[in-house]
Amino acid sequence: MAHIDYYFATISPYTYLTGTRPAEIAAKHGATLTYKPLDIMALFARTGGTAPKDRHPNRAEYRLQDLERRAALLDMPMNVKPAFFPTNMAPSAYAVIAAQSAGNDVGDLVAEVTRACWNDEKDIAQDDVIRDCLTAAGLDPDLADKGMLASAETYARNLEDAVNAGVFGAPFFVVDSGQRFWGEDRLDDLDAHLGGKI
């Protein structure tokens, strides 16, 4: 049985566009999936990337065009310049970690949190927003405040794991075969790999 480590950031627009497809692909191939939220800005700093605010205008303009195109192709409503970006992604990541640690499937929660930022114009650093996302995903809203120290430790460890696994962006998928897939637009490649085609 294959295993996928899914590295992502709750504030990442491309994580939003990924939606629940990683879980669907894993289920299709009988693979297991671990969600590993991390601090994307710290990852950029560690792996030669640049925060969006510091990118050359050519790159910044392309990013906005690409987001608009991908959202249209996926038929996902999106504000490419949301009201609360950037914001502190740690509280929402802690909730995801706490929910997963409690044995929950967190695919819907990741989708809800990223949708809150990139479609609903909400600040995902706020406790009430995180609780609403947990509720919308069918989970206990009190997970927003559970095991925060352990979640913080896992969050930091996810960053180290990512760097050691060759990750440099989000979403990023690392299969136990050693194959790595970067970006929402590489999900078909992940699917093909798990299906033995590539």
Side-chain angles (χ1 to χ4, degrees), residues 11-13 41 52-53 63 80-87 117-118:
I11 200 170
S12 161
M41 301 306 175
K53 68 180 181 61
R63 174 179 173 275
V80 298
K81 293 183 178 180
F84 299 99
F85 178 88
T87 192
C117 177
W118 292 97

Side-chain angles (χ1 to χ4, degrees), residues 34-186:
T34 300
Y35 292 80
K36 302 190 87 163
L38 50 70
D39 182 338
I40 190 67
M41 301 306 175
L43 182 67
F44 287 156
R46 294 275 299 274
T47 60
T50 306
K53 68 180 181 61
D54 298 323
R55 292 176 187 164
H56 188 278
N58 291 2
R59 290 179 179 269
E61 290 165 10
Y62 180 84
R63 174 179 173 275
L64 295 179
Q65 286 188 356
D66 188 56
L67 287 172
E68 289 172 348
R69 288 192 299 259
R70 295 303 301 168
L73 284 168
L74 295 165
D75 195 25
M76 294 179 71
M78 182 179 200
N79 180 350
V80 298
K81 293 183 178 180
F84 299 99
F85 178 88
T87 192
N88 182 4
M89 64 199 100
S92 57
Y94 293 175
V96 172
I97 292 166
Q100 183 169 244
S101 296
N104 296 292
D105 180 344
V106 295
D108 287 342
L109 176 58
V110 173
E112 291 292 340
V113 169
T114 55
R115 182 184 302 114
C117 177
W118 292 97
N119 182 53
D120 301 341
E121 298 289 338
K122 294 180 179 177
D123 183 356
I124 62 169
Q126 300 302 313
D127 188 67
D128 61 328
V129 174
I130 296 167
R131 286 175 167 276
D132 287 347
C133 290
L134 283 158
T135 300
L139 301 174
D140 180 359
D142 288 341
L143 286 165
D145 305 312
K146 296 273 175 77
M148 295 187 76
L149 179 57
S151 293
E153 292 172 347
T154 299
Y155 187 59
R157 188 168 56 251
N158 287 348
L159 175 62
E160 297 305 317
D161 290 349
V163 172
N164 292 332
V167 173
F168 51 84
F172 210 108
F173 305 92
V174 180
V175 184
D176 56 1
S177 64
Q179 292 294 304
R180 296 174 288 165
F181 302 88
W182 173 41
E184 170 274 323
D185 58 347
R186 291 296 183 266

